[in-house]
Amino acid sequence: MNRKAFIESHGATCNNWRQSWSFINEAERIVIFGAWDFHTEGNTTLIFSEDWKIRRGRKQSAYKQSREHIRLIEEEGYLLMTFPMQGSDANKDESGIGPAKIGGFTPRLEERVLSRDGQNWYASDRKLDIAIPEEVDFNGTYAEGALVTISVNSYERNRDARQKCLDHYGYDCAGCGLNFEVIYGALGKDFIHVHHVVPIHTIQEEYEVDPIKDLIPVCPNCHAMIHRVKPALTVSQLKEHIARRKSGVIVS
């Protein structure tokens, strides 16, 4: 079964089968989005962004349709469902530039909840299942990335690099400003997570980490929120999100 036949089997359609990534079943008030694997982290997928209106200098032909589908979910109570899509690099050049191409899809619909952060909309089942492994023992230089087997496979974290990061930045969370020692006293002294600015799992090879440029301290809550979506938020984006919440701007 191809993608079109799968979507039509659920009573949905679209304006452009070649370009569309969202579909609608008007009779049952259902909107279906394709959930790209390269925009998926755990149970959360980035399904629409205002940044997608223009790609490589050209307007996205399916952008307007998908934006309307988002509105129907937000304002008129349409049910959101997604199905997994696998990306292919077939249309990309040697520099990794080129349009997305479907390498495959899983013919399975899953009910999702829509949430918004600024210009981005995410589909999620509200379950946070992003495991963020902490540091494991390591002897050597600041090389990172080798797989280590503990209870699960985890990319190793270098303790010396972590400490140099904390010596530079201190123990305040770079996202929300939390300091565990201030809140918990001696119990919280020197406790903080260290976030890799470029996630190790995206590098998938050993590399020499710069403790100042590549690492930054964040509390566990901010660390989890950073990795709640894919691609992961930057610390700056997370701080902007927090600032909007504090200023009274409603951010779903």
Side-chain angles (χ1 to χ4, degrees), residues 31 93 172 209 236 250:
V31 168
D93 59 24
D172 291 349
V209 65
S236 294
I250 301 300

Side-chain angles (χ1 to χ4, degrees), residues 134 162 171 179-181 187-193 219-220:
E134 271 298 278
R162 167 193 166 87
Y171 288 82
N179 183 295
F180 282 87
E181 186 176 9
L187 179 65
K189 182 177 174 58
D190 296 343
F191 179 80
I192 197 76
H193 280 198
C219 71

Side-chain angles (χ1 to χ4, degrees), residues 149-166:
T149 300
I150 40 178
S151 58
V152 295
N153 281 334
S154 166
Y155 289 93
E156 67 185 15
R157 265 60 169 168
N158 180 281
R159 288 188 180 276
D160 290 339
R162 167 193 166 87
Q163 190 56 55
K164 284 189 176 294
C165 165
L166 297 175

